Amino acid sequence: MGSVVSTMAPFFAAKTINAPAMRQAMGAIWADGPVGIGAETGVVPSGGNSQGSFSPTSVGSSSAPAVSLSPGQCVIQRPTGGTYVCTLPVASGNITLTTPLPASGQTRIDVVCASVVDGEADGGTPPQTNTLTLSTVTGTAAASPTVPSVPAGFLPLWNVTVNNAGALTFADARIFTRGVGGVRFVQAGDTRAGSYPADLRIFATGQVDCWLNPTGTWAWITIVAPSVWTQVSLPYSYAGGSGGTCNLGTTGSTLCRYKRAGNDLALSYEALWGGPPYNMGNGAINTVLPNGWVTPTGRDQWMPCQLFVNDSVSGFTGNMAGLALVKSGSNQVRPYFPRDGGFSWLFPYTVQQTIGTPGQSYPQVGNGYAQGGSLHIAGTIELAS
């Protein structure tokens, strides 16, 4: 019969184990990555009902900021060299950020990463340097900075926003690994594909997704929804001019509560006006679905909504019933109301058509603006897979 011999000897078949064989054997303990043979890169989940591995602390000074990370373990799959299981046994010490700091009015986002230096795999000569390295990838300062891309083989841990005064704000960028056959723990925004059919992932909310192919396309399908409502604050925006974010005034607030079961999403929105000054802009007003979710293409969906108008200009107060549209293949949620109490056609909710000109709102409230005391939207819609 025909046969072929692997270039990699079976683990423990030889009396001596070289470093590449050991790394491949260690990689077999951890779940495969979504593509090809190789361990799933990520932080090893920590014990004690917490995720404290590599937790950040701001250190250094205002002119020379730095980050220190707590102890932790991680698995790093490099483009060359295979799988590396890495341990940081004590706090890392200072990981300095690049200076100069951003100019006044600007910020910058740096990414704190873990990577591996392997002198042998990198083609070095003895004495070899073999280290777990913690470093930063420096972003570009701007009024609205973006997260810089991370080189292959680097494991992102934290996005660090730094301002002109050297103050640091941390956003969790960790992804987590798991053992073979284990359930992947994920955070919101983790877009990694599944590693194999019927793979499972779980969120901190208790949501469990399964990697399935029900319609010819592999996707995460929610099979267990959180048993409690999840609460987030989502913005409202206006479409007139170049558009913008609505300001519901002093002490104004927005709230969205949701609960997902499979592709069914139950929603409850509440927007409460505070004290003046308001800035509701001009043109149609809308909000969005949570978590970047979108509806399937092919049909629009509607939910009941209610607006209590409490206009300080015209003195009009009253309740208006309407419907909120979630467009096909979109994440936009747009309330619609009748023009007035005697008109059944629906128009996009608009506080004013022209900035500073009263009497042009939908719903119309006489010589004033359709600024609310409260806006409520509630119902259940279908999400795309």
Side-chain angles (χ1 to χ4, degrees), residues 57-139:
T57 302
S58 177
V59 294
S61 64
S62 60
S63 60
V67 178
S68 179
L69 299 181
S70 67
Q73 287 187 301
C74 62
V75 175
I76 295 178
Q77 182 72 29
R78 287 187 8 142
T80 58
T83 301
Y84 297 79
V85 180
C86 306
T87 299
L88 180 68
V90 295
S92 66
N94 291 4
I95 308 166
T96 57
L97 302 185
T98 300
T99 54
L101 298 176
S104 179
Q106 295 186 331
T107 55
R108 190 184 74 213
I109 300 176
D110 296 349
V111 184
V112 177
C113 301
S115 61
V116 169
V117 175
D118 183 333
E120 180 182 3
D122 293 335
T125 56
Q128 307 286 2
T129 298
N130 304 298
T131 60
L132 166 65
T133 302
L134 301 171
S135 59
T136 62
V137 176
T138 304

Side-chain angles (χ1 to χ4, degrees), residues 228-298:
V228 296
W229 289 80
T230 300
Q231 183 171 301
V232 293
S233 178
L234 296 174
Y236 288 72
S237 59
Y238 57 88
S242 58
T245 301
C246 296
N247 181 355
L248 277 66
T250 306
T251 71
S253 64
T254 62
L255 179 67
C256 173
R257 300 176 69 246
Y258 68 89
K259 183 161 57 173
R260 179 170 178 174
N263 288 340
D264 294 332
L265 180 66
L267 291 162
S268 178
Y269 290 89
E270 180 181 77
L272 298 176
W273 272 249
Y278 312 110
N279 177 20
M280 300 302 294
N282 62 309
I285 291 173
N286 68 271
T287 185
V288 295
L289 297 177
N291 296 329
W293 290 327
V294 298
T295 58
T297 57

Side-chain angles (χ1 to χ4, degrees), residues 33-34 40-43 45 155-156 159 172-178 183-195 199-204 207 209 211 219-222 260 291-293:
E40 187 170 279
T41 288
V43 173
L155 172 63
N159 296 336
D172 199 342
R174 295 172 299 174
I175 58 175
F176 294 91
T177 188
R178 41 45 190 289
V183 178
R184 180 193 291 166
F185 172 71
V186 294
Q187 305 187 88
D190 189 333
T191 60
R192 288 177 293 172
S195 295
D199 195 3
L200 294 174
R201 68 179 186 181
I202 185 169
F203 292 81
Q207 176 180 321
D209 296 345
W211 185 248
W220 288 110
I221 306 298
T222 300
R260 179 170 178 174
N291 296 329
W293 290 327

